[in-house]
Amino acid sequence: MKTLSALPAALAVVLLSGCGADPAPAAAPPPSSPAAAPAAAGTPCGEVSGLQGSKNKVVARGKTECAEATQVLTDYFAKLTPAEAASPQGPGPVVIGAWTCGSGPNDPVTSCSTEDERQIEATRS
C-alpha cells in the first residue's frame, strides 16, 4: 500500500514538469554603475590663486559650473591653514559648503567633490 500512496505524488511531479516548459526569460542586465563610466574630460575654468600665491588651473566636471568651481577653490585656499598645508598626509580634507576638498602629500592637484558626485580639480601651474 505504501507504493500506491506515493503514486499520486509522482504523477503530480510528472504532470507539473510539463507546465511552464517555456524557458524563463533572460534576466535583464544590471544597470551600469556611474563609477564604471569614464570620467568626463572636464571644463577648463581659468585660474585661482593658491597657497603662497601659486596659480592653479581649475577644471569643473559633471554638472558643476565654472563660477561655482572657482569660488569653491578660492574659498578652499583662503580657509586652508598653514598647519593643514604642511600636513604629512596632505592638505585637507576641508569642507566648503557641500564640497570637501583636499590633496595628497606633495600632490600638485587639489580635488573637491560633493555627495552628488560633482567634482572640481585645481592643478598648480
Side-chain angles (χ1 to χ4, degrees):
M1 277 310 220
K2 286 187 178 184
T3 338
L4 290 177
S5 66
L7 186 58
L11 184 57
V13 169
V14 171
L15 290 174
L16 291 176
S17 66
C19 294
D22 293 339
S32 64
S33 161
T43 303
C45 298
E47 291 185 343
V48 296
S49 293
L51 297 172
Q52 300 172 342
S54 65
K55 293 293 181 188
N56 293 269
K57 293 180 184 177
V58 178
V59 175
R61 300 190 188 284
K63 296 180 181 180
T64 306
E65 295 182 12
C66 283
E68 181 178 25
T70 56
Q71 186 61 55
V72 167
L73 284 162
T74 298
D75 293 349
Y76 166 75
F77 288 119
K79 186 175 181 180
L80 193 63
T81 67
E84 289 169 325
S87 170
Q89 288 81 29
V94 175
V95 176
I96 307 293
W99 295 87
T100 302
C101 301
S103 63
N106 300 315
D107 191 347
V109 178
T110 297
S111 297
C112 301
S113 62
T114 63
E115 288 188 17
D116 63 355
E117 300 181 0
R118 293 180 290 153
Q119 296 180 341
I120 304 168
E121 288 181 355
T123 305
R124 269 183 265 144
S125 7

